[in-house]
Amino acid sequence: MTGLAYTGSKRIIWSFLSALYVLVFLSCTAGNCLAGMQRELDESERTTKTIQLNVVSSAIVLTWGVLQWDYFQQSPKAESEEWFGRNTDDGGADKLGHMYITYALTHLWDHLYRNLGSSPEGAARMGALSSLGVTGLMELGDSFSNYGFSYEDMLMNLAGSALGYLM
């Protein structure tokens, strides 16, 4: 059974990918439902759906964090993980993962917001903010776990969100 045990970096990566899979699955399911709507949403309905999407996404992240990443098990802490040096756990691959996931989530939310009837510019802006918000919430949750808040991870989340918005 030791082959199935994940520790350290592998646990973080697999937990993160599992949480992302759940988030993408639920978001795409919601997107398919939204795409099938026959009428145009008014501004208040669009605002309500936007808030619901972000609250559900945040709840999924926090629930997964409590169950898999031991969120809220200790006092908050922040630490430097370094960037791409030899002495880092994964040689910095984790940083690229943060950037890519936030970039991909920016496009996912952009698609969902367009299905809600947002303008292309508004959908891109809200997609970037939503992805940064959720990945920032993950990093904040990490501060209450053994992992700790990483400034480098948060900066890469910001870079991924900005890149997703610009693309």
Side-chain angles (χ1 to χ4, degrees):
M1 283 287 180
T2 57
L4 296 177
Y6 295 107
T7 58
S9 301
K10 287 183 181 178
R11 181 176 181 223
I12 293 170
I13 291 168
W14 282 109
S15 296
F16 189 73
L17 290 175
S18 298
L20 179 65
Y21 174 78
V22 169
L23 183 63
V24 168
F25 173 78
L26 291 174
S27 296
C28 287
T29 302
N32 288 336
C33 292
L34 294 172
M37 292 186 322
Q38 298 298 317
R39 64 180 179 83
E40 189 78 20
L41 294 177
D42 66 25
E43 187 63 33
S44 92
E45 290 174 312
R46 192 169 34 251
T47 300
T48 300
K49 296 231 182 263
T50 298
I51 291 169
Q52 289 171 344
L53 175 63
N54 283 280
V55 167
V56 168
S57 299
S58 297
I60 290 169
V61 166
L62 288 176
T63 301
W64 193 266
V66 167
L67 296 174
Q68 295 294 318
W69 296 326
D70 302 322
Y71 283 6
F72 310 116
Q73 297 299 311
Q74 55 187 293
S75 298
K77 65 179 179 179
E79 54 188 41
S80 175
E81 291 182 353
E82 301 300 322
W83 288 96
F84 298 99
R86 281 191 159 152
N87 297 329
T88 62
D89 287 340
D90 302 306
D94 173 59
K95 305 301 165 260
L96 295 176
H98 277 270
M99 187 172 89
Y100 180 73
I101 292 301
T102 311
Y103 168 82
L105 287 174
T106 296
H107 286 284
L108 173 70
W109 268 297
D110 171 73
H111 174 73
L112 293 174
Y113 290 133
R114 285 178 192 233
N115 283 336
L116 285 172
S118 293
S119 68
E121 177 63 30
R125 183 177 52 254
M126 286 303 299
L129 291 173
S130 292
S131 69
L132 184 60
V134 167
T135 56
L137 184 61
M138 283 182 194
E139 206 53 49
L140 182 64
D142 280 351
S143 74
F144 290 94
S145 72
N146 288 331
Y147 305 115
F149 182 90
S150 167
Y151 299 104
E152 296 89 353
D153 287 352
M154 196 61 212
L155 287 172
M156 293 305 275
N157 291 341
L158 180 61
S161 178
L163 185 61
Y165 174 76
L166 293 172
M167 298 296 280

